[in-house]
Amino acid sequence: MSDLTSDLTSDLTPALRIEPVAGEAMLRDWRHVHNVIVPPAAMTLDEVRERSGRNRLENAYLGDVLVGCSTVRPPEGEDAVATVIARVLPGHRGAGIGTALYDKGLAHARVLGARAIETVVLAANEDGVRFAERLGFTETERYVLPDETDLWLTLRLTVSGA
């Protein structure tokens, strides 16, 4: 376990492990969490494989129990905007797991040169919207994807560090 993960999870028992997705089992784990949290954007395993080639995907485990996942999209554009998304399964929320995932994702985005940070949340995920707002994100865009009905929010980090 890295020092960063140890520092972020010293009060969690059993220890929280946040690991980059590697191999089929971890791809399936990441897909499971993603599809539970954002069912309108459910992905196939092939789509997850493709996404893992473009983005940093990580899984969070308490002991051997899968509890969450994250995505870091590399910085893009003149503003070097990276996207950091933390997802925690409903039964494990409120224990600091989302914060640990987010902090680790934010650190990785900074290493990649991000000067601004955004996140994307399904508007129906009220826990996710509240979590992003508590971290200092402010809504910048609302949209519905073509041929769909679900409302999505893009939020930008507007407090220290971005």
Side-chain angles (χ1 to χ4, degrees), residues 133-161:
E133 290 171 343
R134 275 195 314 272
L135 291 173
F137 283 85
T138 303
E139 182 182 325
T140 59
E141 181 183 12
R142 290 176 168 246
Y143 59 94
V144 175
L145 295 171
D147 301 320
E148 295 187 15
T149 59
D150 295 292
L151 179 64
W152 294 87
L153 307 177
T154 299
L155 302 102
R156 185 170 281 211
L157 189 60
T158 55
V159 296
S160 65

Side-chain angles (χ1 to χ4, degrees), residues 2-156:
S2 74
D3 290 339
L4 174 63
T5 304
S6 299
D7 292 343
L8 293 172
T9 62
S10 59
D11 60 337
L12 296 175
T13 304
L16 179 65
R17 293 181 295 117
I18 300 173
E19 300 179 1
V21 169
E24 288 295 305
M26 290 185 81
L27 286 167
R28 284 191 300 275
D29 283 352
W30 187 94
R31 177 180 178 252
H32 171 76
V33 174
H34 176 275
N35 290 355
V36 166
I37 304 300
V38 286
M43 299 175 73
T44 68
L45 199 51
D46 284 340
E47 290 169 325
V48 175
R49 281 188 202 99
E50 187 274 330
R51 184 167 288 190
S52 71
R54 293 183 284 120
N55 304 313
R56 181 176 181 91
L57 307 182
E58 294 188 320
N59 290 336
Y61 301 90
L62 274 178
D64 293 329
V65 177
L66 176 68
V67 295
C69 74
S70 66
T71 302
V72 177
R73 296 178 190 157
E76 295 182 339
E78 289 181 21
D79 293 337
V81 179
T83 302
V84 177
I85 304 168
R87 301 173 198 88
V88 177
L89 292 170
H92 300 281
R93 293 179 181 164
I97 297 164
T99 301
L101 279 164
Y102 169 74
D103 287 347
K104 191 165 183 205
L106 180 62
H108 183 71
R110 297 280 188 234
V111 167
L112 296 175
R115 293 191 309 268
I117 304 295
E118 290 184 340
T119 195
V120 178
V121 181
L122 181 63
N125 179 357
E126 295 173 1
D127 288 343
V129 173
R130 280 192 299 274
F131 175 74
E133 290 171 343
R134 275 195 314 272
L135 291 173
F137 283 85
T138 303
E139 182 182 325
T140 59
E141 181 183 12
R142 290 176 168 246
Y143 59 94
V144 175
L145 295 171
D147 301 320
E148 295 187 15
T149 59
D150 295 292
L151 179 64
W152 294 87
L153 307 177
T154 299
L155 302 102
R156 185 170 281 211

